Structures are given as structure tokens and as C-alpha cells.
Amino acid sequence: MNSVTIRNLLVRGMLAGLAAGVLALVVAYFLGEPRVDAAIAFEEAQAHSHGHGHEAEVEVVSRGVQSTAGLATGVLVYGVALGGIAALAFCFALGRIGRFGARATAVLLSGAALLAVHLVPFLKYPANPPAVGDPDTIGKRTALYFLMMLLGILLAVAATILGRRLAPKLGNWYATVAGGAAFVVAVGIAYAFLPSMNEVPHGFSGTLLWQFRLSAIAIQLVLWTAFGLIFGHLAERVVPTKESAAARSVPVTP
């Protein structure tokens, strides 16, 4: 794959990430923000009941700006950045993970990214709304989350390599099952050895916590699904299919 093709795919990946980010923004605004507001209300009520309302810090950025312009900026920049990174990963993965075309590779890559980058660390260290979590442990929690994310990516790559090496002996189906099983076992071992963090305050609504975490999953699900479909469509216009390459190689007879 030449540099021009890679550059074209990078641009299309960032555009697809932007479009996917717009869809994820809609989900974040209508599903996530109401839960954030409810969590903030609980936090303020707890501070008031303990007599700490007068110690509340002055907001540098208002809640209205945070839930609109701030949310839009964060989600869209996140989508563009991940779109660019995923496009580069696509350039490496195309033709190396199986005999898949550009569209199928984009969808498979998006699904693997959703699993390894988000779901694996999320199941161990799920997202928390305001009022949940000790401020003194935020550094530790962040480090553990990114460690679990890194492990998820490395284990997904290792499982893919294992499946590719087993394919000649077991066939594609059983090799895929073996690679997937090895991935699940390795993630389970990582879960068992890494420390857990349970810092939900007394009295916090379990329903609200559950709804917030479901909305966090929904945002990522929409983001990566939309990216895979949009980028797959755009990538097919850049990466020639086997049929089109064969058609160009056939000499035209007068």
C-alpha cells in the first residue's frame, strides 16, 4: 500500500470518525447527560446535608456549557482522533487477518476495537458518574483503566496471531474459536489479578448508576458501529477490490 493510499485512508478515517462522533454525540446528550445531571444533584444534596454547601467551588465553566459545547467538542475530537488511529490500523490489518475486502475489514476492526479498547477495561473498571469515586484515588483508577485497555489490545492482537497460526491445522472456524477462547481466558486472568475499585457512596441510586453505565456503553457502541460502516464504505472507494484489479489487468483487445 503506497503512501498516497494511506494518506487517503487516513483522511477518510478521520471524516468517518467525525460523522460517527456526531451520532455518538446525540446519544451522549439524550442518554448520558440526564444521568449526569441526576448524579450532580445527588452530590450537591450530600454536600448540603453534611454542611459543606458553603465550601463548594466556583464553577469555571457552567454546567450548561459543559453539557453542550464542551460535550460536543470532547466527543467530536475523540471521534476524529480514533478515526485516524483506526484508519492506520486498517492499513496494517487489510489482507493480514484473512481474505476480507475493505468493508469487511473495517467492520471487523471496529468490532475488535470496541471489544478490546472499551468493553474489556469497562467490565473491570466501569464508568462512574459524578459523586461516585474517591477523588484521592482518581490517579490510581485512571492508571488501572489504561493498563486494562493496553492489555485488552495486546491480548486481542495475540489472539488474532494465534488464530492465524492455528488455521492451517484446525481450519478457520476452529482456529477462530481457539483464539477467542484464549482471549477470554487471558482477560479473565487479568481481571483476577488486578485490584477492584468499588467506591459507590451509600445511598446512591443503583438504578441511576446502571443507567449511566448503559448509556456509556451505548455511546461507544454507536460510535464504533457507525465508524465501521461509514469507513468501510469510504475505504472501498480507495482500496481496489480483487474484481476491479483483475478487470484492469485484462488487456483491452481492439
Side-chain angles (χ1 to χ4, degrees), residues 162-192:
L162 176 63
R164 292 284 293 169
R165 292 186 175 182
L166 292 177
K169 297 180 180 179
L170 303 180
N172 290 333
W173 172 255
Y174 289 107
T176 302
V177 172
F183 176 78
V184 171
V185 171
V187 169
I189 293 174
Y191 282 0

PDB file of all heavy atoms in Angstrom, residues 162-192:
ATOM      1  N   LEU A 162      -2.590 -16.011  17.105  1.00  0.00           N
ATOM      2  CA  LEU A 162      -2.776 -17.429  17.440  1.00  0.00           C
ATOM      3  C   LEU A 162      -3.762 -18.082  16.479  1.00  0.00           C
ATOM      4  O   LEU A 162      -3.510 -19.200  15.981  1.00  0.00           O
ATOM      5  CB  LEU A 162      -3.271 -17.558  18.877  1.00  0.00           C
ATOM      6  CG  LEU A 162      -3.604 -18.982  19.355  1.00  0.00           C
ATOM      7  CD1 LEU A 162      -2.352 -19.855  19.342  1.00  0.00           C
ATOM      8  CD2 LEU A 162      -4.232 -18.948  20.740  1.00  0.00           C
ATOM      9  N   GLY A 163      -4.872 -17.406  16.213  1.00  0.00           N
ATOM     10  CA  GLY A 163      -5.855 -17.963  15.295  1.00  0.00           C
ATOM     11  C   GLY A 163      -5.299 -18.153  13.897  1.00  0.00           C
ATOM     12  O   GLY A 163      -5.570 -19.163  13.240  1.00  0.00           O
ATOM     13  N   ARG A 164      -4.497 -17.196  13.429  1.00  0.00           N
ATOM     14  CA  ARG A 164      -3.902 -17.309  12.100  1.00  0.00           C
ATOM     15  C   ARG A 164      -2.940 -18.487  12.013  1.00  0.00           C
ATOM     16  O   ARG A 164      -2.886 -19.183  10.995  1.00  0.00           O
ATOM     17  CB  ARG A 164      -3.163 -16.009  11.755  1.00  0.00           C
ATOM     18  CG  ARG A 164      -4.065 -14.806  11.553  1.00  0.00           C
ATOM     19  CD  ARG A 164      -4.763 -14.844  10.218  1.00  0.00           C
ATOM     20  NE  ARG A 164      -3.811 -14.688   9.114  1.00  0.00           N
ATOM     21  CZ  ARG A 164      -4.111 -14.886   7.845  1.00  0.00           C
ATOM     22  NH1 ARG A 164      -5.318 -15.299   7.511  1.00  0.00           N
ATOM     23  NH2 ARG A 164      -3.199 -14.708   6.903  1.00  0.00           N
ATOM     24  N   ARG A 165      -2.191 -18.710  13.079  1.00  0.00           N
ATOM     25  CA  ARG A 165      -1.222 -19.817  13.068  1.00  0.00           C
ATOM     26  C   ARG A 165      -1.897 -21.179  13.198  1.00  0.00           C
ATOM     27  O   ARG A 165      -1.371 -22.184  12.718  1.00  0.00           O
ATOM     28  CB  ARG A 165      -0.207 -19.622  14.190  1.00  0.00           C
ATOM     29  CG  ARG A 165       0.722 -18.427  13.960  1.00  0.00           C
ATOM     30  CD  ARG A 165       1.812 -18.348  14.998  1.00  0.00           C
ATOM     31  NE  ARG A 165       2.746 -17.262  14.693  1.00  0.00           N
ATOM     32  CZ  ARG A 165       3.819 -16.974  15.412  1.00  0.00           C
ATOM     33  NH1 ARG A 165       4.097 -17.689  16.504  1.00  0.00           N
ATOM     34  NH2 ARG A 165       4.610 -15.974  15.057  1.00  0.00           N
ATOM     35  N   LEU A 166      -3.036 -21.215  13.858  1.00  0.00           N
ATOM     36  CA  LEU A 166      -3.752 -22.489  14.022  1.00  0.00           C
ATOM     37  C   LEU A 166      -4.629 -22.824  12.819  1.00  0.00           C
ATOM     38  O   LEU A 166      -5.048 -23.971  12.665  1.00  0.00           O
ATOM     39  CB  LEU A 166      -4.614 -22.452  15.283  1.00  0.00           C
ATOM     40  CG  LEU A 166      -3.874 -22.420  16.623  1.00  0.00           C
ATOM     41  CD1 LEU A 166      -4.880 -22.311  17.767  1.00  0.00           C
ATOM     42  CD2 LEU A 166      -3.000 -23.650  16.798  1.00  0.00           C
ATOM     43  N   ALA A 167      -4.922 -21.814  11.993  1.00  0.00           N
ATOM     44  CA  ALA A 167      -5.847 -22.024  10.875  1.00  0.00           C
ATOM     45  C   ALA A 167      -5.428 -23.144   9.928  1.00  0.00           C
ATOM     46  O   ALA A 167      -6.267 -23.955   9.525  1.00  0.00           O
ATOM     47  CB  ALA A 167      -6.038 -20.715  10.113  1.00  0.00           C
ATOM     48  N   PRO A 168      -4.138 -23.267   9.539  1.00  0.00           N
ATOM     49  CA  PRO A 168      -3.779 -24.361   8.626  1.00  0.00           C
ATOM     50  C   PRO A 168      -4.023 -25.751   9.210  1.00  0.00           C
ATOM     51  O   PRO A 168      -4.282 -26.706   8.465  1.00  0.00           O
ATOM     52  CB  PRO A 168      -2.273 -24.127   8.378  1.00  0.00           C
ATOM     53  CG  PRO A 168      -2.069 -22.672   8.643  1.00  0.00           C
ATOM     54  CD  PRO A 168      -3.001 -22.359   9.773  1.00  0.00           C
ATOM     55  N   LYS A 169      -3.930 -25.890  10.534  1.00  0.00           N
ATOM     56  CA  LYS A 169      -4.110 -27.195  11.165  1.00  0.00           C
ATOM     57  C   LYS A 169      -5.566 -27.469  11.543  1.00  0.00           C
ATOM     58  O   LYS A 169      -6.053 -28.584  11.385  1.00  0.00           O
ATOM     59  CB  LYS A 169      -3.247 -27.285  12.427  1.00  0.00           C
ATOM     60  CG  LYS A 169      -1.754 -27.183  12.171  1.00  0.00           C
ATOM     61  CD  LYS A 169      -0.977 -27.276  13.470  1.00  0.00           C
ATOM     62  CE  LYS A 169       0.521 -27.175  13.231  1.00  0.00           C
ATOM     63  NZ  LYS A 169       1.298 -27.243  14.510  1.00  0.00           N
ATOM     64  N   LEU A 170      -6.262 -26.440  12.053  1.00  0.00           N
ATOM     65  CA  LEU A 170      -7.607 -26.642  12.580  1.00  0.00           C
ATOM     66  C   LEU A 170      -8.707 -26.175  11.641  1.00  0.00           C
ATOM     67  O   LEU A 170      -9.872 -26.536  11.839  1.00  0.00           O
ATOM     68  CB  LEU A 170      -7.755 -25.915  13.923  1.00  0.00           C
ATOM     69  CG  LEU A 170      -6.773 -26.289  15.028  1.00  0.00           C
ATOM     70  CD1 LEU A 170      -7.065 -25.479  16.284  1.00  0.00           C
ATOM     71  CD2 LEU A 170      -6.842 -27.784  15.333  1.00  0.00           C
ATOM     72  N   GLY A 171      -8.351 -25.390  10.651  1.00  0.00           N
ATOM     73  CA  GLY A 171      -9.378 -24.754   9.835  1.00  0.00           C
ATOM     74  C   GLY A 171      -9.755 -23.398  10.432  1.00  0.00           C
ATOM     75  O   GLY A 171      -9.533 -23.148  11.622  1.00  0.00           O
ATOM     76  N   ASN A 172     -10.337 -22.551   9.613  1.00  0.00           N
ATOM     77  CA  ASN A 172     -10.628 -21.188  10.055  1.00  0.00           C
ATOM     78  C   ASN A 172     -11.598 -21.142  11.229  1.00  0.00           C
ATOM     79  O   ASN A 172     -11.419 -20.345  12.169  1.00  0.00           O
ATOM     80  CB  ASN A 172     -11.192 -20.368   8.884  1.00  0.00           C
ATOM     81  CG  ASN A 172     -10.158 -20.082   7.821  1.00  0.00           C
ATOM     82  OD1 ASN A 172      -8.957 -20.029   8.104  1.00  0.00           O
ATOM     83  ND2 ASN A 172     -10.601 -19.906   6.579  1.00  0.00           N
ATOM     84  N   TRP A 173     -12.639 -21.968  11.197  1.00  0.00           N
ATOM     85  CA  TRP A 173     -13.655 -21.917  12.252  1.00  0.00           C
ATOM     86  C   TRP A 173     -13.070 -22.280  13.606  1.00  0.00           C
ATOM     87  O   TRP A 173     -13.189 -21.528  14.579  1.00  0.00           O
ATOM     88  CB  TRP A 173     -14.822 -22.832  11.895  1.00  0.00           C
ATOM     89  CG  TRP A 173     -15.804 -22.980  13.031  1.00  0.00           C
ATOM     90  CD1 TRP A 173     -15.960 -24.059  13.839  1.00  0.00           C
ATOM     91  CD2 TRP A 173     -16.736 -21.993  13.486  1.00  0.00           C
ATOM     92  NE1 TRP A 173     -16.934 -23.818  14.774  1.00  0.00           N
ATOM     93  CE2 TRP A 173     -17.438 -22.558  14.583  1.00  0.00           C
ATOM     94  CE3 TRP A 173     -17.055 -20.702  13.079  1.00  0.00           C
ATOM     95  CZ2 TRP A 173     -18.440 -21.878  15.273  1.00  0.00           C
ATOM     96  CZ3 TRP A 173     -18.053 -20.015  13.768  1.00  0.00           C
ATOM     97  CH2 TRP A 173     -18.721 -20.593  14.844  1.00  0.00           C
ATOM     98  N   TYR A 174     -12.438 -23.452  13.701  1.00  0.00           N
ATOM     99  CA  TYR A 174     -11.910 -23.897  14.989  1.00  0.00           C
ATOM    100  C   TYR A 174     -10.723 -23.048  15.446  1.00  0.00           C
ATOM    101  O   TYR A 174     -10.508 -22.864  16.648  1.00  0.00           O
ATOM    102  CB  TYR A 174     -11.521 -25.377  14.905  1.00  0.00           C
ATOM    103  CG  TYR A 174     -12.725 -26.287  14.814  1.00  0.00           C
ATOM    104  CD1 TYR A 174     -13.040 -26.921  13.616  1.00  0.00           C
ATOM    105  CD2 TYR A 174     -13.557 -26.488  15.907  1.00  0.00           C
ATOM    106  CE1 TYR A 174     -14.154 -27.733  13.514  1.00  0.00           C
ATOM    107  CE2 TYR A 174     -14.676 -27.307  15.818  1.00  0.00           C
ATOM    108  CZ  TYR A 174     -14.974 -27.931  14.620  1.00  0.00           C
ATOM    109  OH  TYR A 174     -16.079 -28.730  14.520  1.00  0.00           O
ATOM    110  N   ALA A 175      -9.963 -22.532  14.503  1.00  0.00           N
ATOM    111  CA  ALA A 175      -8.864 -21.640  14.867  1.00  0.00           C
ATOM    112  C   ALA A 175      -9.406 -20.351  15.469  1.00  0.00           C
ATOM    113  O   ALA A 175      -8.857 -19.819  16.445  1.00  0.00           O
ATOM    114  CB  ALA A 175      -8.006 -21.331  13.643  1.00  0.00           C
ATOM    115  N   THR A 176     -10.494 -19.837  14.901  1.00  0.00           N
ATOM    116  CA  THR A 176     -11.119 -18.632  15.451  1.00  0.00           C
ATOM    117  C   THR A 176     -11.677 -18.887  16.843  1.00  0.00           C
ATOM    118  O   THR A 176     -11.523 -18.063  17.755  1.00  0.00           O
ATOM    119  CB  THR A 176     -12.249 -18.151  14.522  1.00  0.00           C
ATOM    120  OG1 THR A 176     -11.711 -17.895  13.222  1.00  0.00           O
ATOM    121  CG2 THR A 176     -12.899 -16.886  15.067  1.00  0.00           C
ATOM    122  N   VAL A 177     -12.320 -20.039  17.022  1.00  0.00           N
ATOM    123  CA  VAL A 177     -12.849 -20.401  18.348  1.00  0.00           C
ATOM    124  C   VAL A 177     -11.717 -20.522  19.364  1.00  0.00           C
ATOM    125  O   VAL A 177     -11.820 -20.044  20.506  1.00  0.00           O
ATOM    126  CB  VAL A 177     -13.653 -21.709  18.267  1.00  0.00           C
ATOM    127  CG1 VAL A 177     -14.030 -22.198  19.664  1.00  0.00           C
ATOM    128  CG2 VAL A 177     -14.906 -21.509  17.428  1.00  0.00           C
ATOM    129  N   ALA A 178     -10.611 -21.153  18.966  1.00  0.00           N
ATOM    130  CA  ALA A 178      -9.476 -21.323  19.874  1.00  0.00           C
ATOM    131  C   ALA A 178      -8.868 -19.976  20.242  1.00  0.00           C
ATOM    132  O   ALA A 178      -8.547 -19.720  21.412  1.00  0.00           O
ATOM    133  CB  ALA A 178      -8.423 -22.219  19.218  1.00  0.00           C
ATOM    134  N   GLY A 179      -8.710 -19.099  19.254  1.00  0.00           N
ATOM    135  CA  GLY A 179      -8.176 -17.767  19.539  1.00  0.00           C
ATOM    136  C   GLY A 179      -9.093 -16.975  20.448  1.00  0.00           C
ATOM    137  O   GLY A 179      -8.643 -16.298  21.380  1.00  0.00           O
ATOM    138  N   GLY A 180     -10.404 -17.057  20.201  1.00  0.00           N
ATOM    139  CA  GLY A 180     -11.364 -16.360  21.054  1.00  0.00           C
ATOM    140  C   GLY A 180     -11.367 -16.891  22.472  1.00  0.00           C
ATOM    141  O   GLY A 180     -11.437 -16.126  23.442  1.00  0.00           O
ATOM    142  N   ALA A 181     -11.291 -18.221  22.615  1.00  0.00           N
ATOM    143  CA  ALA A 181     -11.262 -18.818  23.951  1.00  0.00           C
ATOM    144  C   ALA A 181     -10.004 -18.412  24.706  1.00  0.00           C
ATOM    145  O   ALA A 181     -10.055 -18.106  25.910  1.00  0.00           O
ATOM    146  CB  ALA A 181     -11.347 -20.339  23.831  1.00  0.00           C
ATOM    147  N   ALA A 182      -8.867 -18.397  24.015  1.00  0.00           N
ATOM    148  CA  ALA A 182      -7.618 -17.973  24.657  1.00  0.00           C
ATOM    149  C   ALA A 182      -7.707 -16.515  25.116  1.00  0.00           C
ATOM    150  O   ALA A 182      -7.217 -16.153  26.197  1.00  0.00           O
ATOM    151  CB  ALA A 182      -6.453 -18.161  23.682  1.00  0.00           C
ATOM    152  N   PHE A 183      -8.355 -15.683  24.303  1.00  0.00           N
ATOM    153  CA  PHE A 183      -8.528 -14.270  24.659  1.00  0.00           C
ATOM    154  C   PHE A 183      -9.371 -14.136  25.926  1.00  0.00           C
ATOM    155  O   PHE A 183      -9.015 -13.378  26.848  1.00  0.00           O
ATOM    156  CB  PHE A 183      -9.189 -13.532  23.494  1.00  0.00           C
ATOM    157  CG  PHE A 183      -9.513 -12.097  23.785  1.00  0.00           C
ATOM    158  CD1 PHE A 183      -8.526 -11.126  23.754  1.00  0.00           C
ATOM    159  CD2 PHE A 183     -10.817 -11.724  24.086  1.00  0.00           C
ATOM    160  CE1 PHE A 183      -8.826  -9.796  24.030  1.00  0.00           C
ATOM    161  CE2 PHE A 183     -11.128 -10.400  24.358  1.00  0.00           C
ATOM    162  CZ  PHE A 183     -10.135  -9.440  24.322  1.00  0.00           C
ATOM    163  N   VAL A 184     -10.473 -14.862  25.993  1.00  0.00           N
ATOM    164  CA  VAL A 184     -11.366 -14.790  27.159  1.00  0.00           C
ATOM    165  C   VAL A 184     -10.648 -15.261  28.420  1.00  0.00           C
ATOM    166  O   VAL A 184     -10.748 -14.642  29.491  1.00  0.00           O
ATOM    167  CB  VAL A 184     -12.642 -15.616  26.905  1.00  0.00           C
ATOM    168  CG1 VAL A 184     -13.472 -15.728  28.185  1.00  0.00           C
ATOM    169  CG2 VAL A 184     -13.467 -14.983  25.794  1.00  0.00           C
ATOM    170  N   VAL A 185      -9.908 -16.349  28.311  1.00  0.00           N
ATOM    171  CA  VAL A 185      -9.185 -16.881  29.471  1.00  0.00           C
ATOM    172  C   VAL A 185      -8.128 -15.888  29.949  1.00  0.00           C
ATOM    173  O   VAL A 185      -7.991 -15.631  31.148  1.00  0.00           O
ATOM    174  CB  VAL A 185      -8.535 -18.237  29.126  1.00  0.00           C
ATOM    175  CG1 VAL A 185      -7.591 -18.684  30.241  1.00  0.00           C
ATOM    176  CG2 VAL A 185      -9.618 -19.290  28.902  1.00  0.00           C
ATOM    177  N   ALA A 186      -7.380 -15.319  29.004  1.00  0.00           N
ATOM    178  CA  ALA A 186      -6.330 -14.365  29.372  1.00  0.00           C
ATOM    179  C   ALA A 186      -6.919 -13.115  30.026  1.00  0.00           C
ATOM    180  O   ALA A 186      -6.383 -12.597  31.016  1.00  0.00           O
ATOM    181  CB  ALA A 186      -5.515 -13.988  28.138  1.00  0.00           C
ATOM    182  N   VAL A 187      -8.042 -12.622  29.497  1.00  0.00           N
ATOM    183  CA  VAL A 187      -8.697 -11.457  30.099  1.00  0.00           C
ATOM    184  C   VAL A 187      -9.205 -11.803  31.496  1.00  0.00           C
ATOM    185  O   VAL A 187      -9.090 -10.999  32.438  1.00  0.00           O
ATOM    186  CB  VAL A 187      -9.858 -10.964  29.207  1.00  0.00           C
ATOM    187  CG1 VAL A 187     -10.707  -9.933  29.939  1.00  0.00           C
ATOM    188  CG2 VAL A 187      -9.308 -10.361  27.919  1.00  0.00           C
ATOM    189  N   GLY A 188      -9.751 -12.998  31.657  1.00  0.00           N
ATOM    190  CA  GLY A 188     -10.218 -13.427  32.979  1.00  0.00           C
ATOM    191  C   GLY A 188      -9.086 -13.478  33.995  1.00  0.00           C
ATOM    192  O   GLY A 188      -9.273 -13.093  35.165  1.00  0.00           O
ATOM    193  N   ILE A 189      -7.925 -13.947  33.577  1.00  0.00           N
ATOM    194  CA  ILE A 189      -6.765 -13.981  34.483  1.00  0.00           C
ATOM    195  C   ILE A 189      -6.355 -12.568  34.877  1.00  0.00           C
ATOM    196  O   ILE A 189      -6.047 -12.282  36.041  1.00  0.00           O
ATOM    197  CB  ILE A 189      -5.602 -14.732  33.811  1.00  0.00           C
ATOM    198  CG1 ILE A 189      -5.964 -16.208  33.635  1.00  0.00           C
ATOM    199  CG2 ILE A 189      -4.321 -14.597  34.644  1.00  0.00           C
ATOM    200  CD1 ILE A 189      -4.941 -17.004  32.848  1.00  0.00           C
ATOM    201  N   ALA A 190      -6.372 -11.648  33.890  1.00  0.00           N
ATOM    202  CA  ALA A 190      -6.030 -10.253  34.188  1.00  0.00           C
ATOM    203  C   ALA A 190      -7.027  -9.656  35.168  1.00  0.00           C
ATOM    204  O   ALA A 190      -6.648  -8.931  36.099  1.00  0.00           O
ATOM    205  CB  ALA A 190      -5.999  -9.436  32.894  1.00  0.00           C
ATOM    206  N   TYR A 191      -8.310  -9.941  34.979  1.00  0.00           N
ATOM    207  CA  TYR A 191      -9.330  -9.463  35.912  1.00  0.00           C
ATOM    208  C   TYR A 191      -9.072  -9.958  37.330  1.00  0.00           C
ATOM    209  O   TYR A 191      -9.262  -9.233  38.310  1.00  0.00           O
ATOM    210  CB  TYR A 191     -10.713  -9.938  35.464  1.00  0.00           C
ATOM    211  CG  TYR A 191     -11.331  -9.163  34.330  1.00  0.00           C
ATOM    212  CD1 TYR A 191     -10.678  -8.088  33.740  1.00  0.00           C
ATOM    213  CD2 TYR A 191     -12.585  -9.509  33.841  1.00  0.00           C
ATOM    214  CE1 TYR A 191     -11.251  -7.389  32.696  1.00  0.00           C
ATOM    215  CE2 TYR A 191     -13.180  -8.804  32.798  1.00  0.00           C
ATOM    216  CZ  TYR A 191     -12.502  -7.748  32.230  1.00  0.00           C
ATOM    217  OH  TYR A 191     -13.082  -7.051  31.198  1.00  0.00           O
ATOM    218  N   ALA A 192      -8.660 -11.228  37.429  1.00  0.00           N
ATOM    219  CA  ALA A 192      -8.462 -11.820  38.751  1.00  0.00           C
ATOM    220  C   ALA A 192      -7.277 -11.204  39.487  1.00  0.00           C
ATOM    221  O   ALA A 192      -7.308 -11.061  40.722  1.00  0.00           O
ATOM    222  CB  ALA A 192      -8.263 -13.333  38.609  1.00  0.00           C
TER     223      ALA A 192
END
